[in-house]
Amino acid sequence: MIAIEGLTKFYDGLAAVDDVSLTAETGAITVIVGASGSGKSTLLRMVNRLVEPSAGRVLIDGADAAGLPVHELRRGIGYAIQNHGLFPHRTVAENIATVPALLGWPRGRIAARVDELLNLFQLEPATFAGRYPRELSGGQQQRVGVARALAAEPKLLLMDEPFGALDPLIRAKAQDDLKAIQRQLSTTILLVTHDMEEAIRLGDRIAVMDAGKLLQDAPPAEILVHPATAYVAELIGAGERPFRLLSLATAAEAVEPGAADGAAVAAEASLRDALAELLWSHRAAAPVADRDGRPLGRVTLAGLVARAGTPR
Amino acid sequence: MSGSRRGGDSAPAVGSPGMSMTQAVAATTGIARRGLDKLGVVVAALFALGAASPFAVFRANRIAAGEAKSFFEALPPAAAALFAVAAFLAGAVALTRTTARARLASAIAFAAALAALIGAAPMHLIAPGDRLARVAPAAGFWLLAFADLILFADSVVRLKLGPLARVLALALGAAALALTLWSGVWNGLSILKEYANRSDVFWREAGAHLVLAVGSLAAAMAVGLPLGVLIARKRRLRAPALGALNAIQTIPSIALFGMLIGPLGWISSHVPAAAALGVHGVGAAPAFVALFLYSLLPMAANTVVGLDQVSAEVVDAADGMGLTARQRLFAIELPLALPVILTGVRIVLVQNIGLATIAALIGGGGFGVFVFIGLGQTAPDLILLGAVPTVLLAFAAAVLLDAWVELATGARS
């Protein structure tokens, strides 16, 4: 668990981050959302002390981050950034091996870990290990950047706009992959983004920042339904709100008894996708099937619409 | 001159000397990819001009006024005919659209012919038993050599030789030159007669020249690199430090020697250890210090530029992963800055090899010794004995370091 307590950073007398307290649960993804200049990156960089706080402290599993030599602290925390910051003069394998090598892992263990991570990120080791970053596509560079951040099996991973340099199609896939890998490794992730869509897609919890202050810190559904301030509501976007709310739940959660005609909706599909399917095929209801094709019931247009607004 | 008519036949247009220089520079730097025809015209024109100009200079003795001899005067008839055919063929190959390999073969073949023929000129011009007369290459020879060099460089650029292949080509060229010198083909030429008179001094001064040029480079690296790292880190130091180094560059070398006589003389008379090391107000010490001071700006400035162009994300990632400042500098920043730093080393080395000739003015030794004695005696052959090795050395240094820069760049960025 990461406990941020009263973190403050002054630059020339102005507070870039103003008395922010926040808790990131172990094994969850906590997303910090805000516009540029909101202080979100500064907040993140105070966790691994790339920025030293003016006041407040960070507790990582109860231990004060200020109590360790700074490079030891950072070697225990994964760090992935926009544009990846891969070392251009080092191969993919050497890039991924950076922190394990700093920690003095034996060579065999490093090689095994590099192979394991390349496989995890769907990069064939025989093909990619020896390549240089400039020989990779943007999406591949991004995956190597995250693999490098995870190399020394950190309990905590900090990510600063990690998908910012990707085009939208690749970005959605990269977000899904990250979420799957995070569930598999149960890494604690603190992720900074300006994109509310990304925050809702990834976050178990969302913290909204503006002008150095924390405006709201809540699960995505609560942020959508009860935005704390007008600014938070504006970030969510009134037009997008119902659909974002639907995107948080799966068809399995909205199943009603009964049958329906036509193609089945997958149980793990989001309600947003289920609604789109109903609208597109002019149906009032569609059957829901599990992974093996067994019918579970149906979702109805009326049922989905009822879930798409504020709870009555 | 009939030579001019003959040359004119093979060259439809004659480029102005200024134009040919521009083209030559463009060819050697590989900028001129298109307009190869134009370059061929210029090269062919240079061949024609070279063939029409005096091929060799005859002097009754080493300081007498020279008598220009065209190629058919300077060579026996059979050799003159060979020369005319070789120049015509090389010009024709340059002018027409031929493959890079054919142009390269033509350039090498013509270089061999030119080397053999200039060696034949003294035997033809100097009466047997005349030990005072001298024969030296004249403007025509140098123009032809220059034209052939353009043809050679252009074909090398077009073959897109890799850095290692270029170093190999340099080694082959050096071996060919050494073989020619060893074979004695050129022993009749005046420059080698000057060499024969002072071969032991020549090698001593060659050593002194290298020690001055390479030693001052090493000292400038030892100081300039850390200085560059420091002013890359401390932005406030940057303008004053680079400004001061820039100011040193503007001091003429003679003036700098003069300014160094006082302090070095004082050190020499007050610090016995320094005097024992050979530090005096005149001699090698002020020359070494002057070259060192001139070298500091390129070394420090290129280190700053090299470190500056390392991307901010790379630095941020290195910090965020827990590299210490020292690890970041040596494992990430300096390797990424290396191509730019090596470019600075190249500038300094080539510049120092040339500048080291000035050291002879204050008794610092080096190839400049021959240049200045030659100037004093109005003996052009002796000047060449100092100048030609200097140019060859600078050229070799440039090729070697260019190859190194390219190797360093290829593995990175």
Side-chain angles (χ1 to χ4, degrees), chain A residues 71-86:
Chain A
H71 56 271
E72 271 179 44
L73 171 77
R74 291 176 189 160
R75 286 170 195 178
I77 300 175
Y79 186 56
I81 55 176
Q82 187 171 9
N83 295 321
H84 335 309
L86 296 178

Side-chain angles (χ1 to χ4, degrees), chain A residues 45 48 50 71 74-75 77 79 81-90 98-99 102 132 134 148, chain B residues 311-324 327 331-332 335-336 409-413:
Chain A
R45 294 164 71 83
N48 64 356
L50 284 168
H71 56 271
R74 291 176 189 160
R75 286 170 195 178
I77 300 175
Y79 186 56
I81 55 176
Q82 187 171 9
N83 295 321
H84 335 309
L86 296 178
F87 301 145
H89 61 308
R90 293 191 168 176
T98 304
V99 180
L102 287 173
Y132 285 91
R134 73 190 130 93
R148 181 174 70 171
Chain B
S311 87
E313 279 109 5
V314 165
V315 173
D316 188 35
D319 283 340
M321 283 189 292
L323 277 78
T324 61
Q327 286 167 337
I332 309 297
L336 289 174
T409 315
R412 291 158 175 88
S413 76

Side-chain angles (χ1 to χ4, degrees), chain B residues 135-165:
Chain B
V135 170
F141 171 86
W142 296 116
L143 272 175
L144 288 166
F146 180 56
D148 200 53
L149 184 67
I150 298 176
L151 190 60
F152 179 83
D154 175 53
S155 54
V156 165
V157 167
R158 285 210 274 156
L159 279 172
K160 297 195 178 84
L161 288 185
L164 291 177

Side-chain angles (χ1 to χ4, degrees), chain A residues 11-12 27 29 41 59 96 114 171 185 199 205 217 219 221 225 233 239 241 277-278 289 306-307 309-310:
Chain A
Y11 286 115
D12 300 327
I29 301 181
S41 286
L59 299 177
I96 294 175
V114 168
R171 188 184 306 158
L185 305 175
R205 206 172 172 90
D217 166 27
V225 178
R241 205 158 47 174
E277 173 59 29
L278 288 182
R307 284 170 161 269
T310 51

Side-chain angles (χ1 to χ4, degrees), chain B:
Chain B
M1 286 205 284
S2 64
S4 116
R5 247 174 283 127
R6 192 198 302 262
D9 290 343
S10 64
V14 177
S16 72
M19 206 184 128
S20 64
M21 280 301 294
T22 322
Q23 292 285 346
V25 171
T28 46
T29 52
I31 293 163
R33 275 290 150 71
R34 275 179 287 167
L36 285 168
D37 256 328
K38 267 189 247 165
L39 183 69
V41 169
V42 173
V43 171
L46 280 172
F47 271 114
L49 198 64
S53 307
F55 185 65
V57 181
F58 175 85
R59 290 190 187 86
N61 60 59
R62 69 189 279 267
I63 57 171
E67 234 177 280
K69 302 280 184 187
S70 67
F71 72 89
F72 55 88
E73 291 167 323
L75 298 171
L82 172 68
F83 170 85
V85 171
F88 178 78
L89 285 179
V93 168
L95 196 59
T96 51
R97 285 176 173 271
T98 38
T99 64
R101 278 168 191 279
R103 296 171 90 86
L104 183 65
S106 160
I108 292 173
F110 187 72
L114 203 59
L117 290 169
I118 195 67
M123 287 179 246
H124 183 61
L125 287 173
I126 300 175
D130 184 348
R131 309 180 104 210
L132 292 177
R134 294 290 183 101
V135 170
F141 171 86
W142 296 116
L143 272 175
L144 288 166
F146 180 56
D148 200 53
L149 184 67
I150 298 176
L151 190 60
F152 179 83
D154 175 53
S155 54
V156 165
V157 167
R158 285 210 274 156
L159 279 172
K160 297 195 178 84
L161 288 185
L164 291 177
R166 293 204 306 268
V167 171
L168 184 68
L170 177 71
L172 287 176
L177 182 66
L179 204 66
T180 312
L181 287 168
W182 177 76
S183 71
V185 176
W186 285 346
N187 282 359
L189 287 174
S190 56
I191 181 170
L192 285 179
K193 288 190 172 169
E194 293 289 353
Y195 169 74
N197 287 341
R198 27 189 125 222
S199 56
D200 50 338
V201 185
F202 179 86
W203 290 109
R204 197 184 71 209
E205 298 305 347
H209 200 98
L210 277 179
V211 166
L212 272 178
V214 178
S216 60
L217 166 68
M221 282 171 75
V223 175
L225 265 171
L227 184 66
V229 171
L230 180 72
I231 56 185
R233 294 269 186 277
K234 311 268 178 209
R235 291 205 156 261
R236 260 180 302 172
L237 282 180
R238 186 172 297 198
L242 290 180
L245 295 182
N246 226 331
I248 294 174
Q249 294 271 319
T250 64
I251 306 174
S253 48
I254 308 264
L256 192 52
F257 291 150
M259 288 163 68
L260 288 168
I261 289 175
L264 287 174
W266 187 88
I267 291 174
S268 172
S269 54
H270 288 77
V271 185
L277 276 172
V279 175
H280 300 289
V282 292
F288 189 94
V289 173
L291 290 181
F292 162 78
L293 289 175
Y294 285 136
S295 309
L296 275 181
L297 178 70
M299 281 315 308
N302 277 48
T303 305
V304 172
V305 172
L307 290 176
D308 272 0
Q309 47 105 56
V310 175
S311 87
E313 279 109 5
V314 165
V315 173
D316 188 35
D319 283 340
M321 283 189 292
L323 277 78
T324 61
R326 177 183 291 264
Q327 286 167 337
R328 192 184 88 192
L329 178 67
F330 287 103
I332 309 297
E333 290 176 296
L334 283 179
L336 289 174
L338 187 65
V340 184
I341 294 174
L342 281 179
T343 308
V345 172
R346 178 205 188 281
I347 293 168
V348 166
L349 187 55
V350 173
Q351 168 186 290
N352 282 7
I353 288 172
L355 269 178
T357 47
I358 311 279
L361 265 185
I362 50 165
F367 287 129
V369 167
F370 305 120
V371 174
F372 288 111
I373 297 178
L375 283 171
Q377 299 180 349
T378 57
D381 305 332
L382 191 52
I383 299 175
L384 282 182
L385 184 63
V388 171
T390 308
V391 170
L392 291 179
L393 212 52
F395 177 76
V399 171
L400 282 176
L401 276 160
D402 278 342
W404 194 7
V405 169
E406 203 174 311
L407 282 176
T409 315
R412 291 158 175 88
S413 76

